[in-house]
Amino acid sequence: MIVNTMTLQEIYMELFKDLPSLLLRISNCKKEFRRKVLKASRFPCSASYELKTGRRKNLFILTLVAQKRGDAKLPFFNIYGIYDRPEGTYAAGLIIDDATILIYPPHFFKRYRERIVKDDKLSNKQLIHLYFTKSWMLYKVFDDGEQEELCEEFKFTMHEETSFVGVVEQGYCFGSTFGSIVVVKTIISEENIFDHKRELLHELREKYNRVKKDQGLENLISLM
């Protein structure tokens, strides 16, 4: 898959033009959610908010989760935007702390549908929502040598050029990095793993599970 870097840059610039108003709306949602958590009698407590930004009215979905009352001020949160373009629907996961975005092109969701979900009835937007509901973290950990070797093999086998390998809850992702833009190009399931690389990918899965536990995401992901 060839990534149009101009499209990526346009999405990046459009997102960060909307960022000030988006941050204000996120702050307001957190205040509203805090009140909800303090009144809650059952946990975990969660809420999702649809935020439309700027004159283009791009849609962002913000999900907040409190596993206990003490999470009222600092809930877990996940936010992603949906961008409809002539070539298809893109999604952009926002990492606010370091001004990085993870862009998922239409091709990614085509492979996600084929290899993971295996359901033709879901709309593209339902598919995007399902992915982000299940995948609160993308984790990559290989050293350069292992990563380069695996990416080269993936390119040869799957005919898709990539420069990093990562793990999410439902599989293993391959993608490329362009400065502050991380493009997550495709995803494979356990069924798609090359047999002689299975041990290497399972080591990555184990590291992912440890990080997930350390960050308090273990129970959270199991609830989604």
Side-chain angles (χ1 to χ4, degrees), residues 6 29 50 54 71 78 80 88 100-101 122 131 157 160 182 193:
M6 182 62 72
C29 290
E50 292 192 359
D71 294 336
N78 188 13
Y80 63 92
T100 297
I101 60 171
L122 294 177
Y131 172 78
T157 307
E160 296 185 57
V182 177
I193 295 176

Side-chain angles (χ1 to χ4, degrees), residues 8-174:
L8 301 180
Q9 191 66 30
E10 287 174 357
I11 292 175
Y12 183 87
M13 294 304 297
E14 190 171 330
L15 191 157
F16 281 100
K17 283 179 182 177
D18 286 333
L19 189 56
S21 62
L22 188 61
L23 290 175
L24 178 60
R25 298 188 67 184
I26 290 172
S27 177
N28 291 336
C29 290
K30 285 185 173 181
K31 290 176 183 177
E32 181 181 321
F33 182 66
R34 181 173 182 271
R35 292 193 291 270
K36 178 179 179 178
V37 172
L38 294 176
K39 292 178 181 178
S41 57
R42 299 181 64 181
F43 289 88
C45 179
S46 65
S48 291
Y49 303 87
E50 292 192 359
L51 311 177
K52 288 192 175 181
T53 62
R55 58 186 177 84
R56 292 181 182 272
K57 302 298 181 184
N58 293 315
L59 176 65
F60 280 79
I61 307 296
L62 170 67
T63 301
L64 301 171
V65 180
Q67 298 193 75
K68 58 185 185 301
R69 199 176 305 279
D71 294 336
K73 286 187 177 181
L74 290 172
F76 291 97
F77 79 94
N78 188 13
I79 184 166
Y80 63 92
I82 296 175
Y83 292 82
D84 289 317
R85 300 184 64 86
E87 65 272 25
T89 303
Y90 289 73
L94 177 59
I95 304 174
I96 295 173
D97 293 343
D98 59 3
T100 297
I101 60 171
L102 292 87
I103 295 181
Y104 298 78
H107 177 81
F108 174 88
F109 293 104
K110 178 181 178 182
R111 296 301 187 219
Y112 180 60
R113 186 189 297 277
E114 291 173 353
R115 296 170 180 167
I116 308 295
V117 180
K118 300 178 181 178
D119 185 344
D120 292 330
K121 296 178 182 178
L122 294 177
S123 69
N124 287 337
K125 290 184 179 178
Q126 287 174 323
L127 200 68
I128 289 170
H129 181 66
L130 178 63
Y131 172 78
F132 282 98
T133 298
K134 297 288 186 182
S135 300
W136 280 56
M137 182 173 73
L138 170 65
Y139 186 67
K140 48 181 181 171
V141 72
F142 287 149
D143 65 39
D144 291 341
E146 292 171 322
Q147 180 167 298
E148 184 177 352
E149 179 186 346
L150 192 55
C151 285
E152 281 298 315
E153 181 156 356
F154 185 82
K155 177 182 176 182
F156 177 77
T157 307
M158 299 286 192
H159 310 292
E160 296 185 57
E161 190 165 346
T162 59
S163 61
F164 75 78
V165 186
V167 59
V168 293
E169 195 64 19
Q170 294 181 279
Y172 302 89
C173 292
F174 291 75

